[in-house]
Amino acid sequence: MKDTRHRALITGAVTVSGALAIAIGVRLSGYGVPLSLLLACATSCLATFSSLLFHMISAWSTTTHRCTRPGCAFRVSLTHTDSAENRRWQEIAAHHPHRSV
């Protein structure tokens, strides 16, 4: 279930990024921009939009557990874990040896 949803989000991100890059390329072509520059701009837009959306998907699907002690910088970030594993790391974050890092 999670793997299917993750693949759908990635496919959607690539589709949206491609559509935005094509839209920018079409708008630039109306101003007489040379083809080589047009391709460079559209490709850089595709890479930028894809990177942004992939980062947002990663942030959305990541759970972070932090130590509750003031001044402690211990934290654990988890992606695609079940509830038992999530709970185990939550307890580890709460009961680790408290050191300021």
Side-chain angles (χ1 to χ4, degrees):
M1 174 76 172
K2 285 184 181 182
D3 191 39
T4 304
R5 181 176 51 178
H6 184 71
R7 286 184 186 176
L9 287 172
I10 295 296
T11 302
V14 170
T15 303
V16 168
S17 298
L20 288 171
I22 289 170
I24 289 172
V26 168
R27 291 191 70 179
L28 285 174
S29 68
Y31 291 103
V33 175
L35 183 62
S36 60
L37 186 56
L38 188 66
L39 289 174
C41 289
T43 304
S44 68
C45 287
L46 176 67
T48 302
F49 294 141
S50 295
S51 177
L52 173 66
L53 292 174
F54 291 160
H55 183 71
M56 289 173 61
I57 290 169
S58 175
W60 179 62
S61 64
T62 301
T63 302
T64 302
H65 299 292
R66 292 180 174 87
C67 178
T68 56
R69 184 174 182 187
C72 184
F74 182 81
R75 71 179 183 175
V76 177
S77 297
L78 306 170
T79 306
H80 305 297
T81 56
D82 60 359
S83 60
E85 186 73 10
N86 191 21
R87 180 68 182 159
R88 187 173 80 86
W89 280 103
Q90 187 178 19
E91 291 173 1
I92 289 171
H95 301 294
H96 79 285
H98 300 286
R99 298 182 192 140
S100 290
V101 177

